[in-house]
């Protein structure tokens, strides 16, 4: 069987995204992945139909861990015969909500670690279910649902507590977590990033930086058991119904998603460069400054700043094309 899928991506800075990978696996399966500008071609050819299909989905999911969203299929061929791309979207979570696509940074950039080793490792841990006395399959799927189109209108607090449960479960399964310390497990995920920068962002949103780490565990317990915790994230909000205070939960969700993506990739043997980790966190701090007008008091309005950022992005894209 030979499957060829063409995907469309969001527009990225070209030098950070373009990549070509090809190899022949030990079972003679031929693998090709080509990403150029906002297009991606995935071609897998092998003797086992089941194996080829498994590799297609494993690759698609690994790309989502690296880039933060599922690429959109625009062409799907099996042995040269065109099929409807809807057949490929076997589960709803393969369609990512637009807001998470637009905000997702590249972790691997143009060095995404797609190899026989990573694909096999990922498949082995990803698809372990109750039959194997494991909850891995549900845990991974739950994360993808959280950023899916189907969950577009999910309340941010519900979204955050579900993510915290996923982080807790991932640490228990893969990072020697402690069943009696849920907050510590969540913090272990957060430590995949620079916690000082996380605290800095939390402080900019009104959360006491010295309590920002412990606040995660209290928040999980508060939202799980509906028992008010005086040091939860919500306790620092002056008015939980305002857009500004909702940013506390949104910011925490963004950062935990980034940390979890890194944790998953490192678990399968990949590594994310420190400069990339710093870059993506600086981006979140810049978002807070922009939304709360913490910079540019003497000169620029929020709209002016947004226009500047858009112009800079356009210039960078032009420079890359030249």
């Amino acid at each position: 069987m030979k499957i060829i899928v063409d995907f469309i991506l969001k527009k990225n800075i070209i030098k950070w995204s373009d990549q070509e990978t090809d190899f022949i696996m030990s079972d003679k399966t031929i693998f090709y992945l080509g990403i150029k500008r906002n297009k991606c071609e995935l071609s897998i050819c092998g003797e086992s139909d089941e194996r080829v299909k498994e590799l297609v989905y494993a690759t698609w999911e690994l790309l989502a861990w690296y880039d933060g969203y599922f690429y959109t299929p625009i062409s799907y061929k099996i042995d040269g015969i065109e099929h409807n791309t809807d057949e490929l979207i076997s589960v709803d979570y393969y369609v990512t909500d637009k807001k998470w696509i637009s905000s997702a940074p590249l972790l691997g950039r143009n060095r995404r670690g797609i190899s026989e080793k990573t694909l096999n490792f990922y498949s082995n841990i990803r698809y372990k279910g109750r039959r194997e006395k494991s909850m891995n399959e549900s845990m991974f799927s739950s994360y993808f649902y959280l950023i899916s189109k189907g969950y577009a209108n999910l309340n941010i607090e519900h979204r955050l507590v579900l993510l915290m449960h996923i982080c807790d479960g991932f640490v228990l399964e893969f990072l020697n977590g402690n069943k009696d310390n849920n907050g510590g497990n969540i913090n272990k995920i957060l430590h995949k990033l620079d916690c000082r920068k996380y605290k800095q962002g939390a402080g900019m949103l009104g959360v006491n930086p010295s309590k920002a780490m412990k606040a995660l565990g209290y928040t999980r317990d508060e939202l799980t058991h509906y028992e008010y915790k005086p040091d939860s994230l919500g306790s620092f909000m002056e008015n939980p119904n305002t857009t500004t205070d909702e940013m506390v939960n949104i910011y925490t969700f963004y950062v935990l998603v980034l940390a979890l993506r890194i944790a998953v990739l490192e678990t399968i043997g990949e590594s994310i460069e420190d400069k990339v980790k710093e870059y993506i966190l600086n981006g979140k701090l810049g978002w807070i400054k922009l939304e709360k007008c913490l910079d540019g008091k003497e000169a620029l309005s929020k709209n002016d700043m947004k226009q500047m950022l858009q112009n800079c992005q356009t210039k960078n894209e032009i420079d890359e094309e030249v």
Side-chain angles (χ1 to χ4, degrees), residues 11-20 35-38 106 108-112 273 275 279 316-322:
K11 194 170 186 180
N12 295 307
I13 298 176
I14 296 167
K15 72 175 182 180
W16 283 0
S17 183
D18 286 4
Q19 178 177 342
E20 193 168 28
I35 299 172
K36 188 171 183 180
R37 297 181 183 271
N38 69 327
L106 305 178
R109 298 187 176 178
N110 61 352
R111 290 188 289 274
R112 305 168 184 86
E273 295 177 289
K275 67 178 183 179
Y279 177 86
N316 286 337
E317 290 169 352
I318 293 172
D319 290 344
E320 290 300 328
E321 291 176 355
V322 171

Side-chain angles (χ1 to χ4, degrees), residues 155-157 205-206 233-234 236-251 287 291-292 302:
N155 175 282
I156 185 59
E157 283 194 338
L205 291 169
L233 291 173
F236 292 98
M237 298 181 189
E238 294 182 5
N239 183 356
N241 296 319
T242 66
T243 301
T244 300
D245 280 341
E246 283 183 357
M247 285 177 64
V248 173
N249 288 329
I250 295 171
Y251 168 68
W287 168 73
E291 291 298 319
K292 292 183 71 69
K302 186 190 295 186

Side-chain angles (χ1 to χ4, degrees), residues 157 164 198 206-208 211-223 227-237 248-249:
E157 283 194 338
M164 288 179 168
Y198 160 70
V207 178
N208 186 329
K211 297 182 177 181
M213 298 290 289
K214 287 188 176 180
L216 298 182
Y218 291 127
T219 301
R220 176 207 179 272
D221 292 343
E222 181 179 76
L223 298 179
E227 178 185 355
Y228 177 77
K229 299 293 182 181
D231 288 321
S232 70
L233 291 173
S235 70
F236 292 98
M237 298 181 189
V248 173
N249 288 329

Side-chain angles (χ1 to χ4, degrees), residues 63-172:
L63 291 171
W65 286 112
Y66 271 111
D67 286 18
Y69 65 98
F70 282 106
Y71 299 171
T72 303
I74 55 176
S75 175
Y76 176 36
K77 293 180 180 178
I78 301 177
D79 294 331
I81 299 173
E82 191 75 45
H83 288 247
N84 192 314
T85 55
D86 289 345
E87 296 178 26
L88 194 63
I89 304 173
S90 55
V91 188
D92 289 345
Y93 58 62
Y94 286 120
V95 181
T96 306
D97 182 18
K98 288 182 179 179
K99 64 175 169 286
W100 306 119
I101 295 176
S102 63
S103 63
L106 305 178
L107 293 182
R109 298 187 176 178
N110 61 352
R111 290 188 289 274
R112 305 168 184 86
I114 308 294
S115 65
E116 179 175 8
K117 180 180 178 180
T118 56
L119 287 168
N120 286 339
F121 198 123
Y122 181 74
S123 294
N124 287 338
I125 65 173
R126 164 66 170 102
Y127 301 112
K128 289 175 64 177
R130 286 186 173 88
R131 183 173 297 176
E132 293 80 22
K133 298 182 180 180
S134 170
M135 293 301 292
N136 286 3
E137 187 170 10
S138 295
M139 178 169 60
F140 279 69
S141 296
S142 293
Y143 165 74
F144 292 136
Y145 272 119
L146 273 185
I147 61 171
S148 70
K149 181 180 178 181
Y151 275 45
N153 298 318
L154 185 67
N155 175 282
I156 185 59
E157 283 194 338
H158 291 313
R159 193 187 299 273
L160 179 59
V161 73
L162 288 171
L163 177 61
M164 288 179 168
H165 283 298
I166 294 167
C167 291
D168 188 11
F170 188 87
V171 171
L172 288 172

